[in-house]
Amino acid sequence: DIAITQSPSSVAVSVGETVTLSCKSSQSLLYSENNKDYLGWYQQKPGQTPKPLIYWATNRHTGVPDRFTGSGSGTDFTLIISSVQAEDLADYYCEQYFVYPLTFGSGTKLEIK
Amino acid sequence: EVQLQQSGPEVGRPGSSVKISCKASGYTFTDYVMNWVKQSPGQGLEWIGWIDPEYGSTDYAEKFKKKATLTADTSSNTAYIQLSSLTSEDTATYFCAMPYNYGRGLDYWGQGVMVTVSS
């Protein structure tokens, strides 16, 4: 199984600041046939269902604000949230869908100072 | 519009079984696999398995092979997960989720069902 490691486990930032979340995979998630990384990011607000944010490591799902930016390739990935808003309070998970079994990172809790 | 509507909260006694549902609408049910994901209280997300509703084929994460059984009813466009031999470790929220757009991961999710194991 592909192991996914997220860091930090929690982070506190002030409104307007930028925060960087890390996600590392034990194997490359890059599919050579289409040069796509099968890595997604999800946002889960308290008491809510996970909401897809990013697919193929760098593409925003429809309706996701452009302050959310995914980057990286292979085994190292990053989610950058620019100009953090109070509404961004949530847990953030990365997930590999390169191969079954699907695996998720343990999440990063974003808190607002 | 793709929608996944899950059944209501369940309470099961230790050792018993529960079966929860996920009714799909807005797309052709047999064209997409349905995944199930577990979230224990205060914990992260765990993939349980998937079912192909057209053929009934399934795949499970190793730790859920003896715990979960996935089925699907194409006449009602509904996927099910049955959890057997319940223990306190099965207390969790269970989500159905499916990859509607190719390559975009699990882009549609049900609202989740809370299962509580209690005597």
Side-chain angles (χ1 to χ4, degrees):
Chain A
D1 298 0
I2 295 178
I4 303 293
T5 303
Q6 286 188 247
S7 62
S9 56
S10 66
V11 62
V13 299
S14 299
V15 170
E17 291 186 340
T18 294
V19 65
T20 300
L21 311 183
S22 173
C23 174
K24 296 183 185 296
S25 172
S26 63
Q27 300 176 35
S28 175
L29 304 181
L30 180 64
Y31 185 43
S32 58
E33 296 287 324
N34 59 9
N35 203 37
K36 301 287 189 185
D37 290 277
Y38 283 64
L39 186 285
W41 288 91
Y42 299 84
Q43 176 195 63
Q44 187 178 33
K45 296 183 178 181
Q48 295 188 18
T49 296
K51 172 188 174 182
L53 290 179
I54 302 287
Y55 63 95
W56 279 334
T58 62
N59 297 78
R60 293 183 202 89
H61 280 274
T62 302
V64 174
D66 59 8
R67 65 177 182 274
F68 293 91
T69 302
S71 65
S73 183
T75 60
D76 290 353
F77 302 91
T78 299
L79 177 68
I80 298 174
I81 310 173
S82 304
S83 188
V84 168
Q85 303 299 301
E87 68 206 48
D88 299 334
L89 168 74
D91 294 325
Y92 293 84
Y93 297 94
C94 58
E95 175 225 5
Q96 69 79 21
Y97 50 100
F98 183 77
V99 65
Y100 283 100
L102 305 182
T103 46
F104 294 86
S106 55
T108 293
K109 178 179 293 293
L110 176 62
E111 299 172 316
I112 308 297
K113 288 180 184 176
Chain B
E1 178 191 7
V2 173
Q3 290 191 343
L4 302 176
Q5 183 65 40
Q6 297 188 240
S7 48
E10 295 275 355
V11 177
R13 296 192 181 278
S16 70
S17 298
V18 295
K19 189 173 185 178
I20 59 181
S21 66
C22 172
K23 184 171 177 58
S25 61
Y27 70 98
T28 302
F29 182 59
T30 51
D31 283 353
Y32 301 87
V33 300
M34 186 68 74
N35 292 261
W36 290 86
V37 175
K38 176 184 180 182
Q39 187 170 38
S40 300
Q43 302 300 309
L45 303 168
E46 284 185 278
W47 180 75
I48 297 172
W50 60 254
I51 182 168
D52 181 337
E54 181 171 13
Y55 300 107
S57 52
T58 55
D59 186 27
Y60 297 89
E62 191 65 37
K63 70 175 287 188
F64 292 103
K65 284 184 176 178
K66 295 183 178 181
K67 172 60 62 179
T69 301
L70 305 183
T71 57
D73 178 356
T74 57
S75 68
S76 63
N77 292 344
T78 303
Y80 299 91
I81 180 171
Q82 178 166 317
L83 304 167
S84 61
S85 304
L86 293 174
T87 72
S88 59
E89 294 190 355
D90 300 317
T91 293
T93 297
Y94 293 84
F95 297 95
C96 57
M98 50 86 76
Y100 181 69
N101 293 287
Y102 171 75
R104 300 193 182 189
L106 300 174
D107 53 351
Y108 285 90
W109 292 65
Q111 81 274 23
V113 174
M114 179 68 198
V115 173
T116 302
V117 181
S118 174
S119 55

